[in-house]
Amino acid sequence: MLRPQDTATRERRSLTGIWDFRLDGTGAGHDARWFAGPLADARPMPVPASFNDIVPDVEVKNHVGDAWYQTSARVPRGWAGERIVLRFDSATHRAVVWINDTEVMRHEGGYTPFEADVTELVTPGDEVRITAAVNNELNFQSLPPGVVQEGPRGRKQTYFHDFFNYAGIHRPVYLYATPTTYVSDITVVTDFDGAAGARTGKVSYDVVVSGDGSQDVRVLLRDADGEVVATGDGASGELTVQDAHLWAPGDGYLYELEAQVVDGDALVDSYLQTVGIRTVEVRGTQFLINGEPFYFTGFGKHEDQAVRGKAHDDAMLVHDFELLDWIGANSFRTSHYPYADEVYDYADRQGIVVIDETSAVGQNMGVMSGMMGMPAIETFSPETINDESREVHAQAIRELIARDKNHPSIVLWSIANEPESASDASREYFEPLFALAKELDTTRPVGFVNVMLSPFGTCKLAEFSDVIMLNRYYGWYVDTGDLEVAEEHWRAELQGWASLDKPIIITEYGADTVAGLHSTTADPWTEEFQSAYLDMNHRVFDSIDAVVGEQVWNFADFQTSQMVFRVDGNKKGAFTRDRRPKAAAHLLRKRWTGKSDPSWAGSDRD
Ligand code: BDP
């Protein structure tokens, strides 16, 4: 699904701003037809934002059920004769949307876009009422899973992942117009021949035209200076780029493919697709980008901040990338869900490498019973995560790859974080999902993130993974505080994984750390311990050749549900939630850039 754009033939109207909002814990609004008129008893709510932390009220924060949003917008007069679309970049975790009194779409899944052609329902120049019932409930058939139970004070949501169940309209909403014959999809795949100086880039493209598809397609490829470097006729083909400038980590060089629908000399539609020419390959234990071994440095991140919750925010985006640059990170994982489109666009431009993850997190009842003292239940069974859940998961993979396939920054798909993976049931559940991801994208490796409860020798999914991704907490959740013993145990396990002859990325290692807490004896929770813990991990990684990456858990402290082992959230950040560096951030910066403090003594940008 292509993003809305302003081009020579297209126009967008953003609907971000303050909408009317009303909670509906019992679901009464559907029967009472709240969409059919102005939302009664509404309070203001910003879009985009999670609603949970906007109002200082525990009922809002912990709301379970529907949350109604409503706004009105005038459809631009100039859109007469155009195809008009209503688009939500996301609504967490599902939504039903109406234009005036008519339901126009339903969508399951909180982190991917959805849209509807509303041309027949609106009149350019007139106002329309847009209503969305956004539902935040998690169950065994949702991603991520959860359970809603009746409690003494109403319904209560529990879930099996370690971040707060923020909900609402987290990303922009648009009305947009395209011609009635329009580009509806583009796929680009890149390759190159030859070495620097005499390098020929290849850009295969496939343009899908909808509406009256009998129109001709023409493509132009421009370099970063706007010079046309290749052209093509027809809906698919391969362009050749002489002396191509590759996209590479740290060098986010982008070409731009303009896909035109033409009728003789007349331009019917124009869509602009950025293109980074690069290759990705797994060979033995190496992860190759453009044929060169790549070592991932960086973090698992979250979309999380005070007040806004999970809302996308450009200021935070640019700031976080500046911090990635400062600390020497070349990559991150979109733990544990697809992020806003803007994040990948920016990663493309900045040359930051991305591991793109679905929202399949918490599919592991063993973690729940082991760590959180919940009664042991089966993870994969007809009553829990079942065939219906797998179809939801398959759809999430389809939507992720359809949305993100053209980003050069994305080098690896992660189809799940820490699912149960030592049982036959997990194997049955996952085997077709790996096959699906590989069929949908033959150009990128596919993997999943393995949990500590499935150590080397027990995992039944590793054989389907092109890359081994491991989350390990030796010295924190096990061997707590005893870094010497932790080091031995960790190295021993990692040596086992290295025998599989696949590249290994450590996708999580970390220790909760309260900024400002210190001790001379490096006790857990102190800044000294976090540094010592990271040092220990790095010694282990540096001793094993198959390790091709280290991503610390987490970039920044983030909010979680209330638990006895979380102090106002998870504190494993290298930065605090408001992005102040802990001591560990300086340690990582030294390791990843070679630069020593004090960086505050003056600008050290090169
Ligand atoms: C891992 C999860 C991550 C958690 C982390 C932790 O993948 O979401 O936040 O542990 O416990 O199991 O800090």
Side-chain angles (χ1 to χ4, degrees):
M1 190 190 289
L2 297 178
R3 291 179 71 193
Q5 279 187 351
D6 295 309
T7 69
T9 59
R10 294 172 171 239
E11 205 177 331
R12 299 175 296 177
R13 166 151 297 189
S14 166
L15 301 183
T16 57
I18 297 178
W19 290 39
D20 289 336
F21 177 83
R22 183 175 172 184
L23 294 177
D24 177 18
T26 61
H30 287 272
D31 284 347
R33 295 172 55 83
W34 286 4
F35 51 85
L39 196 57
D41 300 324
R43 69 190 327 156
M45 188 56 69
V47 170
S50 300
F51 59 75
N52 310 78
D53 289 349
I54 298 292
V55 184
D57 179 352
V58 73
E59 300 293 332
V60 178
K61 180 173 184 133
N62 295 330
H63 172 73
V64 180
D66 286 340
W68 289 73
Y69 285 80
Q70 192 175 73
T71 193
S72 57
R74 189 168 294 279
V75 181
R77 279 186 307 157
W79 290 4
E82 302 288 287
R83 165 181 170 263
I84 300 172
V85 181
L86 175 63
R87 150 119 176 180
F88 283 66
D89 275 1
S90 74
T92 311
H93 294 282
R94 62 188 63 76
V96 185
V97 179
W98 293 262
I99 285 254
N100 297 327
D101 290 5
T102 309
E103 181 185 319
V104 292
M105 56 184 157
R106 289 173 177 245
H107 182 257
E108 174 70 28
Y111 305 95
T112 42
F114 52 101
E115 62 180 31
D117 181 333
V118 298
T119 316
E120 300 300 321
L121 298 170
V122 303
T123 306
D126 284 0
E127 270 213 344
V128 288
R129 189 177 59 249
I130 297 163
T131 310
V134 179
N135 179 280
N136 70 349
E137 292 171 47
L138 299 173
N139 55 50
F140 278 119
Q141 279 64 54
S142 65
L143 277 190
V147 175
V148 177
Q149 285 161 318
E150 283 301 332
R153 289 188 61 247
R155 295 190 319 146
K156 204 170 163 5
Q157 175 79 64
T158 48
Y159 41 92
F160 321 119
H161 54 272
D162 184 38
F163 55 93
F164 190 82
N165 187 33
Y166 281 118
I169 301 177
H170 287 149
R171 298 175 190 163
V173 182
Y174 296 101
L175 273 172
Y176 72 93
T178 73
T180 51
T181 294
Y182 58 99
V183 175
S184 58
D185 198 16
I186 301 178
T187 308
V188 290
V189 173
T190 63
D191 201 352
F192 63 90
D193 279 334
R199 192 178 275 140
T200 307
K202 297 179 197 167
V203 178
S204 305
Y205 69 91
D206 190 13
V207 177
V208 181
V209 177
S210 296
D212 175 7
S214 65
Q215 312 272 16
D216 292 333
V217 174
R218 189 167 67 195
V219 299
L220 297 98
L221 189 73
R222 297 189 179 87
D223 66 14
D225 296 325
E227 297 295 324
V228 175
V229 293
T231 58
D233 284 313
S236 57
E238 187 179 275
L239 305 177
T240 302
V241 185
Q242 300 306 332
D243 200 14
H245 187 148
L246 300 184
W247 186 97
D251 183 8
Y253 189 90
L254 295 174
Y255 292 85
E256 186 175 73
L257 181 91
E258 180 179 356
Q260 298 181 338
V261 181
V262 290
D263 185 4
D265 282 344
L267 181 65
V268 176
D269 192 19
S270 159
Y271 193 89
L272 303 171
Q273 173 64 57
T274 48
V275 176
I277 300 177
R278 60 109 183 88
T279 60
V280 176
E281 189 193 337
V282 167
R283 195 186 299 154
T285 58
Q286 291 187 317
F287 195 100
L288 306 174
I289 299 182
N290 299 335
E292 288 173 17
F294 179 67
Y295 190 92
F296 297 73
T297 59
F299 302 93
K301 283 186 98 259
H302 263 301
E303 290 187 314
D304 172 270
Q305 53 171 313
V307 186
R308 288 178 177 80
K310 290 208 165 310
H312 173 71
D313 176 78
D314 278 343
M316 211 53 157
L317 168 72
V318 174
H319 186 54
D320 279 3
F321 274 68
E322 288 294 332
L323 293 178
L324 292 175
D325 181 56
W326 174 84
I327 208 166
N330 60 21
S331 68
F332 64 89
R333 175 170 60 121
T334 69
S335 39
H336 296 303
Y337 36 82
Y339 287 4
D341 293 284
E342 290 83 350
V343 179
Y344 304 87
D345 280 351
Y346 201 60
D348 290 344
R349 280 168 53 191
Q350 298 298 313
I352 290 284
V353 170
V354 175
I355 302 174
D356 202 8
E357 188 157 274
T358 69
S359 54
V361 52
Q363 297 177 312
N364 197 325
M365 298 308 122
V367 171
M368 296 315 293
S369 54
M371 289 177 55
M372 303 191 182
M374 285 181 55
I377 44 174
E378 299 265 323
T379 302
F380 299 102
S381 78
E383 292 73 41
T384 53
I385 299 176
N386 56 21
D387 290 350
E388 194 185 331
S389 322
R390 182 168 57 197
E391 188 36 49
V392 171
H393 199 152
Q395 182 60 17
I397 292 172
R398 285 184 205 108
E399 290 185 24
L400 178 76
I401 295 179
R403 189 192 70 158
D404 291 349
K405 61 188 171 186
N406 292 328
H407 288 289
S409 56
I410 299 170
V411 299
L412 173 58
W413 304 111
S414 165
I415 65 170
N417 178 70
E418 296 195 344
E420 175 181 301
S421 55
S423 65
D424 290 335
S426 65
R427 192 189 154 97
E428 270 167 43
Y429 177 92
F430 273 103
E431 189 173 357
L433 296 178
F434 280 103
L436 174 68
K438 288 180 186 190
E439 175 196 319
L440 291 171
D441 183 0
T442 54
T443 71
R444 291 180 182 85
V446 176
F448 85 106
V449 174
N450 166 287
V451 66
M452 213 156 171
L453 295 177
S454 271
F456 175 68
T458 68
C459 180
K460 299 200 171 172
L461 304 185
E463 67 175 280
F464 305 120
S465 255
D466 299 315
V467 175
I468 303 296
M469 291 186 269
L470 302 176
N471 291 354
R472 288 298 182 274
Y473 289 91
Y474 287 100
W476 185 253
Y477 289 125
V478 294
D479 303 326
T480 312
D482 190 343
L483 294 179
E484 256 177 66
V485 172
E487 182 167 347
E488 269 174 42
H489 288 160
W490 194 184
R491 187 172 284 112
E493 194 200 342
L494 204 46
Q495 274 160 350
W497 287 105
S499 69
L500 295 184
D501 197 33
K502 294 187 181 192
I504 301 170
I505 303 171
I506 313 305
T507 35
E508 288 185 27
Y509 61 112
D512 282 275
T513 305
V514 175
L517 191 64
H518 293 282
S519 78
T520 53
T521 47
D523 302 315
W525 293 92
T526 64
E527 295 202 35
E528 286 78 7
F529 182 80
Q530 189 180 30
S531 296
Y533 168 95
L534 295 177
D535 266 342
M536 178 278 281
N537 273 271
H538 297 151
R539 279 196 298 277
V540 175
F541 307 161
D542 292 346
S543 69
I544 307 233
D545 287 345
V547 173
V548 300
E550 53 194 54
Q551 293 188 331
V552 173
W553 190 254
N554 187 285
F555 174 71
D557 295 345
F558 58 92
Q559 196 50 268
T560 65
S561 62
Q562 293 167 1
M563 280 177 271
V564 286
F565 50 89
R566 293 285 176 259
V567 187
D568 188 31
N570 187 307
K571 293 281 185 266
K572 294 193 184 70
F575 297 91
T576 60
R577 202 180 190 206
D578 62 354
R579 279 38 178 181
R580 292 164 189 254
K582 299 180 191 171
H586 295 282
L587 176 147
L588 292 169
R589 181 170 184 267
K590 177 95 174 34
R591 175 169 167 87
W592 293 340
T593 68
K595 290 177 189 162
S596 294
D597 295 324
S599 60
W600 53 86
S603 173
D604 58 1
R605 278 189 83 116
D606 35 40

